[in-house]
Amino acid sequence: MDFRTLPTGDFTLANITVPSCLIGQEGDLTRTDLGITNGKIGANDGPVIDMKGAMVVPCFVDAHTHLDKGHTLPRASNPDGSFMGALNAVKADHTNWHGEDVRARADFAISCAYAHGTRAIRTHLDAGEEQDERSWPVFSELREKWAGKVDLQGSSLCAIDKYEMAGRFGRTADLVAEHGGVLGTVTYPMDGIKDLLRQFFDHAVKRGLEVDFHVDETMDPTSETLRDICEVILETGFDRPVQVGHLCSLSTQDEARAMDTLDLVAKAGVNVVSLPMCNMYLQDRHAGRTPRGRGVTLVHEMKARGIPVSFASDNTRDPFYAYGDLDMVEVLREATRIGHLDHSAPDWIKAFTTKPAEACGFDPVSLQDGAPADLILFKARNWTEFMPRPQSDRIVLRKGQQIDRTLPDYSDLDHLFES
């Protein structure tokens, strides 16, 4: 049977290869059969298809993205590839972020993610200059449009001192609550940071919100706001889920200090998301100088301490990252190379599926009986066949049915860039 076509209705995928950790077994990969019945995983009497060892994984969860920034590169390029260059380019482009502009670009990005096999996305939404008033209604429209295909979560994004915590930030927090989102902010070293964090958490407590931080996205070893966040969590007893992303400065700190910080992260019960592609693009960039540092956080040391670790796409085709397509297969392949996930524990696939789902509170990701048959099928029969190629011929099943994986054309966005 042609790998690219599968029957409709109930059937069984025989002789497939799955990550052992996703079916509760020891080891790396396991050969098994998987039935699909009424859109869910389960035995049936339908046709049996010999998949000849093809790999099968559940659809991915992308726990840290920026749908509102995505695909702005044609009109908002980064002049030097630096972090400050990206910040300034985005700030200047905010004047273009009216409702239809954000809607078209975000919808394009979600279409790509869906075609690649992602079933859930958390996106950050800029709040600066009252952009949140424009973006959150658009986000809610898109969440409704994509319901049943891609589950969407939104998280606010602004520097922790951008608005007065007793002033305009309250409006941001109200918008987040109104639209069923997550309260987010960016932290960096500054006087009074712990007092601002206490006020930030107080806003979250009053509205029953989960929180998400951009943290220490720098190679400066003195940037330790991760410690501040964890200490305030422990001091206040904040008990809603907390996710922190980036944590680049850990990679440049004294080993003992970094490990002590990770012990604090574990104690505070914080979830971590690593963004290796974007961090390598921005960090340690200097004109005419080869980068020395990767900017990738300490995922192996975190995992050893039981800290939940996820990997995600971050930015796509915007000033912060000129590449990407919200393809979690690309993130998996690149994270494996960048973070040396190979020659390690064989369950890193959880960092792209079950871990981000748990951290963000999305529906569980599973290959167990009764779970939705939201699956990705690859011709590759093992990781050594999977990693070298982009797996462009993958099959994506949603509720057991093969979807159209045609990607939107970049020309669909041309009208946004016409002067």
Side-chain angles (χ1 to χ4, degrees):
M1 176 172 186
D2 189 334
F3 177 83
R4 293 168 294 182
T5 58
L6 292 172
T8 58
D10 299 347
F11 55 91
T12 294
L13 301 173
N15 193 21
I16 61 171
T17 303
V18 301
S20 303
C21 62
L22 297 181
I23 58 172
Q25 295 189 14
E26 297 293 327
D28 188 3
L29 298 170
T30 299
R31 285 287 179 98
T32 188
D33 300 339
L34 188 149
I36 296 174
T37 305
N38 295 324
K40 296 183 178 181
I41 297 173
N44 63 78
D45 296 324
V48 177
I49 305 161
D50 183 1
M51 298 299 292
K52 305 184 186 305
M55 289 186 70
V56 175
V57 301
C59 286
F60 295 107
V61 174
D62 205 343
H64 182 124
T65 69
H66 293 267
L67 297 179
D68 59 348
K69 292 184 178 71
H71 302 285
T72 54
L73 200 65
R75 69 172 183 228
S77 61
N78 187 326
D80 58 6
S82 69
F83 191 91
M84 286 307 301
L87 281 175
N88 292 332
V90 167
K91 184 177 180 179
D93 193 51
H94 272 167
T95 59
N96 296 308
W97 289 21
H98 51 77
E100 174 53 29
D101 179 78
V102 174
R103 182 183 298 105
R105 292 184 291 97
D107 191 61
F108 184 98
I110 299 166
S111 297
C112 296
Y114 176 69
H116 290 313
T118 291
R119 56 169 277 190
I121 295 172
R122 175 179 287 185
T123 181
H124 299 272
L125 300 171
D126 281 15
E129 300 166 324
E130 300 192 0
Q131 180 61 43
D132 48 6
E133 300 281 2
R134 296 182 287 274
S135 293
W136 277 100
V138 171
F139 167 79
S140 288
E141 292 173 17
L142 289 171
R143 181 172 55 194
E144 182 175 351
K145 173 184 176 179
W146 283 95
K149 292 184 176 180
V150 181
D151 294 335
L152 296 176
Q153 287 182 355
S155 175
S156 57
L157 180 66
C158 65
I160 196 165
D161 64 338
K162 180 66 176 179
Y163 293 132
E164 287 293 329
M165 280 291 162
R168 179 56 173 76
F169 189 78
R171 173 56 183 160
T172 293
D174 286 342
L175 275 169
V176 171
E178 177 185 338
H179 292 275
V182 175
L183 195 62
T185 191
V186 183
T187 59
Y188 48 88
M190 57 181 293
D191 291 338
I193 180 64
K194 293 185 78 171
D195 184 55
L196 287 174
L197 284 167
R198 292 186 189 97
Q199 294 179 62
F200 173 83
F201 280 115
D202 188 53
H203 279 292
V205 168
K206 288 178 178 177
R207 296 165 179 83
L209 298 174
E210 300 178 14
V211 298
D212 194 316
F213 294 91
H214 283 59
V215 183
D216 299 331
E217 192 175 357
T218 173
M219 302 296 279
D220 179 359
T222 67
S223 184
E224 295 188 301
T225 64
L226 176 61
R227 294 185 68 92
D228 297 318
I229 292 167
C230 293
E231 287 169 358
V232 172
I233 289 172
L234 294 170
E235 291 168 7
T236 62
F238 185 79
D239 60 359
R240 302 282 291 177
V242 178
Q243 178 160 282
V244 295
H246 294 293
L247 317 181
C248 306
S249 66
L250 282 172
S251 68
T252 63
Q253 292 171 3
D254 173 78
E255 184 80 1
R257 181 65 170 180
M259 296 307 107
D260 185 67
T261 297
L262 291 188
D263 291 340
L264 194 60
V265 173
K267 186 177 181 180
V270 171
N271 301 294
V272 172
V273 57
S274 176
L275 301 313
M277 297 193 302
C278 187
N279 288 152
M280 283 193 68
Y281 178 81
L282 288 174
Q283 299 303 315
D284 203 19
R285 183 187 285 267
H286 306 278
R289 176 184 180 275
T290 303
R292 271 52 163 188
R294 295 177 175 221
V296 180
T297 197
L298 309 184
V299 294
H300 292 279
E301 293 82 355
M302 292 172 181
K303 190 168 183 286
R305 286 165 171 75
I307 298 169
V309 177
S310 304
F311 290 90
S313 294
D314 206 5
N315 299 70
T316 50
R317 203 164 164 256
D318 67 27
F320 282 91
Y321 186 62
Y323 316 111
D325 201 38
L326 292 190
D327 181 1
M328 287 294 285
V329 169
E330 179 187 20
V331 178
L332 170 57
R333 294 171 68 237
E334 293 305 311
T336 299
R337 296 172 170 88
I338 296 167
H340 290 178
L341 306 186
D342 53 0
H343 299 282
S344 177
D347 62 347
W348 277 110
I349 187 63
K350 289 184 176 180
F352 306 83
T353 53
T354 60
K355 293 296 184 183
E358 293 166 1
C360 296
F362 287 116
D363 289 342
V365 174
S366 175
L367 291 178
Q368 302 295 329
D369 283 355
D374 296 337
L375 308 168
I376 313 176
L377 286 57
F378 305 96
K379 269 190 175 180
R381 298 165 297 177
N382 50 56
W383 293 122
T384 64
E385 294 179 358
F386 179 97
M387 291 296 174
R389 294 179 177 174
Q391 306 303 323
S392 300
D393 60 352
R394 76 193 78 160
I395 291 175
V396 176
L397 303 183
R398 299 303 304 274
K399 297 180 181 177
Q401 300 302 307
Q402 187 171 346
I403 70 167
D404 179 2
R405 290 197 56 246
T406 303
L407 292 166
D409 196 285
Y410 289 125
S411 64
D412 295 345
L413 298 177
D414 283 353
H415 67 285
L416 301 178
F417 311 123
E418 296 170 353
S419 56

